[in-house]
Amino acid sequence: TQLLEQSPQFLSIQEGENLTVYCNSSSVFSSLQWYRQEPGEGPVLLVTVVTGGEVKKLKRLTFQFGDARKDSSLHITAAQPGDTGLYLCAGEKTSYDKVIFGPGTSLSVIP
Amino acid sequence: DAGITQSPRHKVTETGTPVTLRCHQTENHRYMYWYRQDPGHGLRLIHYSYGVKDTDKGEVSDGYSVSRSKTEDFLLTLESATSSQTSVYFCAISGASGGLTSYEQYFGPGTRLTVT
């Protein structure tokens, strides 16, 4: 049973387009992280959201945590080829518990 | 940079042979983790450690054992490798050191293991 679902699984877009990827669960998380993983490398932490309704911006990336802390979204504005990679969400259900990873969204930005 | 390395980076081994993967960190982080990553499954936790000689099982621990005799080293052992253990293995660390909280993880570069 996948506790964290991500959609879409694959996404291929042209440079300059906007996109949104989603991370959903039926469980409540005390915090949620987004990572990006490039081929042949380990995931790299992008952001952590903690408060329901929280919005964080990282340059052209906007992250939102749902009000009920069960879901999150990542919006990329004017995508660039350097945004290509696997985007993983991960959630912590309770403090000091193990983190659960979603299966990821594979993004390809075509020049 | 949390200073985490994995060795070896690539390994090919035969079914039935023992294999040990090493994770080494230089920043004194408390928590260390071993994951495997397979297409369609994402990252799955094998074992983790919350201190020297303190380890616990993750969701896919069968066929794997771990040891942590020093803060900086976390070893993953496949006692008798099987083809189903062909995967990419990632070590991760977290903890108060280096600005990471207990839930934010910093990953190593990975070890690609092939069992023939």
Side-chain angles (χ1 to χ4, degrees):
Chain A
T1 302
Q2 195 76 41
L3 291 180
L4 273 174
E5 304 287 346
Q6 291 189 245
S7 61
Q9 185 178 0
F10 299 98
L11 187 57
S12 181
I13 63 170
Q14 294 290 331
E15 182 176 0
E17 293 183 352
N18 301 331
L19 67 115
T20 302
V21 298
Y22 300 92
C23 175
N24 298 289
S25 177
S26 58
S27 299
V28 176
F29 291 92
S30 57
S31 71
L32 196 141
Q33 294 80 49
W34 283 93
Y35 293 81
R36 179 169 66 208
Q37 183 178 20
E38 298 185 16
E41 299 182 6
V44 175
L45 179 67
L46 295 174
V47 76
T48 295
V49 286
V50 178
T51 306
E54 181 177 6
V55 176
K56 282 191 173 180
K57 292 191 175 183
L58 187 65
K59 297 183 179 178
R60 293 176 293 102
L61 279 61
T62 301
F63 305 85
Q64 185 163 8
F65 201 13
D67 291 341
R69 291 185 289 133
K70 293 183 178 181
D71 53 82
S72 181
S73 63
L74 159 60
H75 181 80
I76 301 179
T77 302
Q80 299 177 1
D83 295 327
T84 293
L86 180 68
Y87 288 82
L88 296 160
C89 66
E92 180 205 16
K93 292 185 70 178
T94 58
S95 294
Y96 306 113
D97 200 353
K98 297 180 291 294
V99 168
I100 300 166
F101 281 82
T105 292
S106 179
L107 172 64
S108 178
V109 181
I110 302 167
Chain B
D1 184 1
I4 180 170
T5 58
Q6 292 185 231
S7 59
R9 294 293 314 278
H10 302 272
K11 186 170 183 66
V12 179
T13 191
E14 294 183 348
T15 299
T17 60
V19 177
T20 295
L21 309 182
R22 180 180 184 237
C23 178
H24 179 77
Q25 59 143 332
T26 60
E27 301 272 334
N28 203 37
H29 289 271
R30 178 183 177 187
Y31 298 94
M32 299 185 76
Y33 311 82
W34 276 107
Y35 292 90
R36 59 178 292 174
Q37 187 174 38
D38 306 286
H41 292 279
L43 284 162
R44 292 183 291 175
L45 182 64
I46 304 171
H47 282 279
Y48 67 102
S49 170
Y50 44 94
V52 174
K53 298 186 179 180
D54 290 325
T55 65
D56 205 348
K57 296 179 179 180
E59 62 178 301
V60 290
S61 59
D62 287 349
Y64 302 95
S65 63
V66 291
S67 66
R68 191 173 180 193
S69 58
K70 299 184 291 185
T71 298
E72 57 266 35
D73 289 323
F74 193 31
L75 304 180
L76 176 70
T77 297
L78 290 66
E79 301 291 347
S80 178
T82 67
S83 58
S84 64
Q85 293 176 312
T86 292
S87 186
V88 181
Y89 291 85
F90 287 99
C91 176
I93 55 178
S94 68
S97 175
L100 291 175
T101 65
S102 63
Y103 46 83
E104 294 174 332
Q105 299 185 23
Y106 186 90
F107 285 82
T111 294
R112 182 172 296 275
L113 176 67
T114 302
V115 183
T116 61

